[in-house]
Amino acid sequence: MLQANAEEFCTECRKPVSYHLQKKTVTRCIHGKEHTFQLTEAVCDECGSEMNLPGLLDTNALETDEQYRSAEHILSVREIKTLMRLYNLGKAPLSLAMGFGEVTIARYLEGQIPSQEYSDRMRKALASPDFMKSLLEENRDKLKPAAWRKGMESVRQLEGIASLSPPLRQSIAEVLSRLGEVTPLLMQKLLYYIQGLSLALHDQPVFPEPCQAWIHGPVYPGVYQVFRDFSFNPIDDDRFAILRETENTLTEEQKALIHLVTDTFGLYGGKVLESVTHSEDPWITARSGCPADTPSSTELSQQDMKDWFLRLGTRYDLRSVEGLHQYIQDAAFCLFHPIQ
């Protein structure tokens, strides 16, 4: 690994010197098409000349490969490895399941760049267990029974994610991308606030799934099933490549709202937000007459959610980070410092 400020020999200074790393813009022609790359270069701290470091050419080759694939929407080696783990298939079985030659995936892992057609097929399998299921059925005779069963079992395990609507999957992906570490409890509360604020500010939901008034606050049952294995731990799993690869159905307005929620509510723990939702009318109304420790599948009314956030909007600026922070702080203060 290249380390800035280490010492290497400079051919201009003729002695070992310290250096720093920076990015340079390089334009190269690949297959008759010009591409611009941001590549790492090492610069001598004494004379300012570019230095040739051990391993730098390998770093540049990797940067060029990744940026070229990204520009051309070609699957990366990392994504192909994720596809293998996702469906629990080795190189040869995955090649055959995809309808490729038996050694195709092995060649891709060694650095050969897939054709656009083959890349698109693998990307679709990353995003859609149903598509992968159809490929496994189509190519069943080419696979050993054990490999086929492993692939189909993986498809079955992924069906819960695929059953979520595309805008809900995309919303979850945005949250994970924005925050990194998110527990299932926090995810549920963020989805609730995304939906509620959208109903009030945009007069429409972001996703169609209903929200239920569970003991621990508003919950989207399908999302609970997908993430239940993580319990109180941060969500992290190769299966969620499906979320990232979901075709984007969100508007820029909806993405901006999701970012607003993650930048405010996302800074608080799931238990804090659970307590806040327990003080809000939509959850209280849906739980009316239900003992505190009794499970319930009663749905929160979207009209109640809209009305609640519209009322909040008369006291707080719900379109601003400052306004939402103020609401959360006020709500949390009242919960933990009740008037005697």
Side-chain angles (χ1 to χ4, degrees), residues 192-304:
Y192 162 73
Y193 283 112
I194 288 167
Q195 190 81 312
L197 287 170
S198 180
L199 288 165
L201 300 178
H202 303 156
D203 195 29
Q204 62 180 357
V206 176
F207 34 82
E209 280 82 354
C211 186
Q212 295 182 357
W214 286 22
I215 292 173
H216 296 291
V219 167
Y220 291 90
V223 177
Y224 170 80
Q225 292 298 329
V226 167
F227 295 132
R228 65 183 302 173
D229 291 345
F230 291 93
S231 186
F232 298 105
N233 299 312
I235 296 165
D236 182 23
D237 196 292
D238 282 327
R239 292 176 298 167
F240 306 130
I242 291 177
L243 300 171
R244 293 189 295 272
E245 294 298 331
T246 301
E247 183 180 357
N248 182 37
T249 59
L250 301 177
T251 66
E252 290 305 312
E253 186 179 59
Q254 289 171 331
K255 284 185 179 180
L257 176 63
I258 293 171
H259 296 170
L260 178 62
V261 170
T262 55
D263 291 348
T264 51
F265 292 94
L267 301 183
Y268 297 82
K271 294 301 291 184
V272 172
L273 297 185
E274 174 187 321
S275 298
V276 173
T277 63
H278 284 192
S279 70
E280 297 175 336
D281 285 357
W283 182 83
I284 293 172
T285 300
R287 296 279 303 181
S288 179
C290 185
D293 58 352
T294 300
S296 171
S297 58
T298 302
E299 293 182 8
L300 277 73
S301 160
Q302 286 196 357
Q303 187 61 51
D304 286 349

Side-chain angles (χ1 to χ4, degrees), residues 11 15 20 37 49 55 73 93 103 106 109 116 132 146-147 160 220 227 235 239 246 269 281 296 328:
T11 56
K15 63 178 182 180
H20 63 277
F37 303 97
S49 62
H73 305 291
V103 298
L109 295 178
Q116 190 68 61
M132 188 63 187
Y220 291 90
F227 295 132
I235 296 165
R239 292 176 298 167
T246 301
D281 285 357
S296 171
I328 302 167

Side-chain angles (χ1 to χ4, degrees), residues 6 20 31 40 44 57 60 70 72 89 128 185 191 195-196 204 211 221 239 253-254 260 264 276 325 328-329 337-338:
H20 63 277
H31 300 310
T40 301
C44 175
L57 287 177
N60 290 164
S70 177
E72 294 296 315
L89 294 172
S128 172
L185 180 63
L191 293 173
Q195 190 81 312
Q204 62 180 357
C211 186
R239 292 176 298 167
E253 186 179 59
Q254 289 171 331
L260 178 62
T264 51
V276 173
H325 272 310
I328 302 167
Q329 291 166 10
H337 299 84

Side-chain angles (χ1 to χ4, degrees), residues 9-212:
F9 188 81
C10 175
T11 56
E12 295 295 327
C13 297
R14 307 304 302 170
K15 63 178 182 180
V17 296
S18 64
Y19 63 88
H20 63 277
L21 301 176
Q22 63 185 34
K23 294 295 184 181
K24 64 178 178 180
T25 302
V26 176
T27 300
R28 293 176 179 167
C29 186
I30 301 178
H31 300 310
K33 182 179 178 180
E34 281 196 349
H35 289 270
T36 300
F37 303 97
Q38 295 296 315
L39 305 182
T40 301
E41 66 174 352
V43 178
C44 175
D45 287 335
E46 293 195 16
C47 71
S49 62
E50 186 174 351
M51 299 172 60
N52 294 316
L53 303 185
L56 186 56
L57 287 177
D58 290 339
T59 297
N60 290 164
L62 181 60
E63 291 170 331
T64 300
D65 180 71
E66 290 179 345
Q67 292 174 42
Y68 172 76
R69 289 172 186 254
S70 177
E72 294 296 315
H73 305 291
I74 300 293
L75 227 61
S76 67
V77 171
R78 174 184 56 79
E79 290 171 315
I80 294 172
K81 290 179 178 179
T82 297
L83 184 62
M84 293 171 61
R85 293 193 298 270
L86 195 63
Y87 294 107
N88 196 23
L89 294 172
K91 291 176 284 189
L94 180 60
S95 291
L96 296 174
M98 298 299 301
F100 304 158
E102 188 170 4
V103 298
T104 302
I105 294 294
R107 289 172 177 167
Y108 292 160
L109 295 178
E110 292 169 358
Q112 180 177 318
I113 296 178
S115 67
Q116 190 68 61
E117 177 188 354
Y118 278 18
S119 177
D120 288 346
R121 189 182 304 180
M122 289 186 288
R123 188 175 297 283
K124 189 172 181 180
L126 266 178
S128 172
D130 284 343
F131 178 68
M132 188 63 187
K133 183 177 182 179
S134 69
L135 290 176
L136 286 166
E137 294 286 8
E138 180 182 338
N139 297 296
R140 181 172 185 173
D141 291 344
K142 301 176 184 177
L143 293 164
K144 292 182 179 179
W148 184 85
R149 285 195 298 270
K150 286 197 296 184
M152 291 299 288
E153 174 60 21
S154 297
V155 166
R156 186 191 65 77
Q157 293 175 0
L158 293 167
E159 287 176 339
I161 301 174
S163 69
L164 303 178
S165 68
L168 180 53
R169 295 204 304 269
Q170 190 66 29
S171 297
I172 294 170
E174 286 286 329
V175 170
L176 291 173
S177 174
R178 195 80 172 176
L179 293 180
E181 290 194 351
V182 183
T183 64
L185 180 63
L186 177 57
M187 177 64 74
Q188 291 284 1
K189 305 308 170 264
L190 295 179
L191 293 173
Y192 162 73
Y193 283 112
I194 288 167
Q195 190 81 312
L197 287 170
S198 180
L199 288 165
L201 300 178
H202 303 156
D203 195 29
Q204 62 180 357
V206 176
F207 34 82
E209 280 82 354
C211 186
Q212 295 182 357

